[in-house]
Amino acid sequence: MPRTFLHDWNLSPAEAIALQKRLAGRVEREDRLGEVRHIAGVDIGFEQGGAITRAAVVVLAWPPRAPGAFELVEQVVHREPTRMPYIPGLLSFREVPAALGAFAQLSRRPDLVMVDGQGIAHPRRLGVASHLGLWLDLPTIGVAKSRLCGRHDEPGPERADWTPLIDGPDDERIGVVLRSRVGVKPLFVSPGHRVSLATALDWVVGCLGRTKLPEPTRLADRLASRRGNR
């Protein structure tokens, strides 16, 4: 699968921060999606004490056969040496290279990508979903399990209740805090690239099944966790 070359990866933390600030200006926050027929889900993990990065990508057909009943059309697990130690705010430099290796092995190009991580809900507005979207030149959405920055009220108790995630002195709306299932902690949804906030929320809600996570990232997480996967 083709991708755009943005930069080298052998950067110091200071160089990576400066690059994030430049790349954030290239992130598109308005909708630029065509027809969506395939949605990819991405999950990133680590092995051997963090020395190896593992990226799992699943591609699902859209629309589902029934609510939450997606057809799995392709899946890939890719491993490679980790390029950067864990540094708060620079997670994309640790995770995106392996994700790109996984996408390179896909036989079809997805129309939309959901990433287990932040989009623009990031101190420099370039989380892993936004960074990956720029590399792939694809619409991406960040679906994170925890907050990296911003402030919010507690969303309502029912499935699909949400409240804005805002940040900065101007109360910039950088995402939403979504109750994806009754009785569970909320998700943090933010646009990655080429997707508006309203559209990102609509897609995540539309991909919810019976569990907390939307099906694309849930199935990617399951693939990544499967013992002996390849």
Side-chain angles (χ1 to χ4, degrees):
M1 194 187 102
R3 68 193 191 198
T4 302
F5 181 84
L6 287 182
H7 57 81
D8 292 321
W9 292 104
N10 55 336
L11 303 174
S12 69
E15 290 170 332
I17 290 171
L19 179 61
Q20 282 181 327
K21 293 176 180 178
R22 294 196 301 271
L23 291 179
R26 297 174 58 175
V27 171
E28 298 179 32
R29 300 192 187 188
E30 300 298 326
D31 291 329
R32 189 157 69 89
L33 296 85
E35 181 184 5
V36 176
R37 299 180 62 186
H38 295 96
I39 302 176
V42 187
D43 181 81
I44 308 295
F46 298 91
E47 302 173 356
Q48 299 180 25
I52 299 296
T53 307
R54 178 191 66 245
V57 176
V58 300
V59 179
L60 310 177
W62 179 268
R65 297 186 298 269
F70 286 84
E71 176 190 358
L72 176 65
V73 297
E74 192 169 4
Q75 62 183 32
V76 170
V77 176
H78 172 75
R79 295 173 173 85
E80 64 175 61
T82 301
R83 300 181 186 231
M84 181 178 279
Y86 173 74
I87 301 172
L90 295 180
L91 197 61
S92 64
F93 291 88
R94 184 171 165 86
E95 296 189 348
V96 168
L100 294 173
F103 274 93
Q105 298 175 47
L106 293 178
S107 63
R108 70 186 72 227
R109 182 178 175 84
D111 305 299
L112 177 65
V113 181
M114 286 189 188
V115 183
D116 182 354
Q118 308 289 350
I120 65 168
H122 178 279
R124 290 174 290 279
R125 308 298 185 255
L126 195 84
V128 61
S130 298
H131 202 163
L132 181 62
L134 288 173
W135 269 96
L136 297 176
D137 192 26
L138 282 174
T140 57
I141 299 170
V143 186
K145 303 181 191 72
S146 60
R147 179 181 62 87
L148 180 59
C149 66
R151 57 194 185 276
H152 62 89
D153 295 327
E154 186 70 10
E158 300 300 321
R159 173 188 169 102
D161 284 346
W162 62 273
T163 190
L165 178 66
I166 58 176
D167 191 40
D170 297 327
D171 291 341
E172 179 185 2
R173 188 173 292 197
I174 58 173
V176 299
V177 185
L178 172 67
R179 186 83 64 193
S180 58
R181 188 181 180 192
V182 175
V184 302
K185 293 181 179 180
L187 297 173
F188 294 80
V189 177
S190 59
H193 180 50
R194 291 173 50 181
V195 178
S196 68
L197 178 53
T199 297
L201 175 60
D202 286 345
W203 275 106
V204 172
V205 171
C207 288
L208 292 176
R210 298 181 178 179
T211 63
K212 174 178 177 174
L213 298 177
E215 287 296 282
T217 55
R218 184 188 74 82
L219 292 174
D221 176 78
R222 188 178 72 172
L223 174 64
S225 302
R226 188 177 303 162
R227 183 169 296 178
N229 59 30
R230 293 293 184 266

